[in-house]
Amino acid sequence: MRVMVLVKATEDSERGFDPSPSSLAMMAAMGRFNEELRAAGVLIAGDGLKPSSEGRRVAFDGAGRTVTEGPFAPAGELVAGFWLWNVADMEEAVAWVKRCPNPMPGPSVIEIRPLYEMADFA
């Protein structure tokens, strides 16, 4: 099954990347984790996202479109990064997330969501 693994944003991630020694060490640990995912055949895609201050939202209402510039709040409801994984089941996805280095300097949350497959619509 395919799952989207969402790294939830924090106030730290919304400030943008700070190339401090601790941030660089965290990035190196995440790089090693990504290599483990790749070697296991789990990783399909993944990346970090820039802060919402650099983003835009497009709201739809019938034929109308409204564009809003970031930043967006609250930070904990935003996404700071993602992976797309191919796993046997949710238990495997949870096991991989438990092995993940903490993606933030402080407390953080990672959400796992299964993708719809064609078989879901049969």
Side-chain angles (χ1 to χ4, degrees):
M1 77 184 287
R2 294 177 306 149
V3 295
M4 176 73 64
V5 181
L6 304 166
V7 178
K8 303 300 273 193
T10 65
E11 295 297 328
D12 286 323
S13 67
E14 280 294 287
R15 282 192 281 278
F17 181 70
D18 172 26
S20 67
S22 62
S23 292
L24 294 173
M26 188 170 47
M27 295 295 290
M30 195 60 73
R32 289 188 297 275
F33 179 68
N34 286 335
E35 284 305 315
E36 288 181 50
L37 292 167
R38 188 172 289 109
V42 171
L43 182 63
I44 298 170
D47 227 322
L49 303 175
K50 290 187 176 186
S52 69
S53 60
E54 297 189 38
R56 306 291 183 273
R57 283 187 177 162
V58 180
F60 292 72
D61 186 4
R65 307 293 186 265
T66 304
V67 178
T68 305
E69 294 184 8
F72 308 115
E77 299 299 318
L78 303 173
V79 175
F82 73 95
W83 288 281
L84 185 59
W85 292 349
N86 188 21
V87 293
D89 50 34
M90 282 297 269
E91 288 74 25
E92 182 184 3
V94 168
W96 276 106
V97 169
K98 285 182 172 182
R99 292 175 57 185
C100 180
N102 187 351
M104 300 292 166
S108 63
V109 174
I110 294 179
E111 180 178 334
I112 307 167
R113 301 273 301 275
L115 276 67
Y116 277 110
E117 303 289 353
M118 289 308 295
D120 295 323
F121 301 107

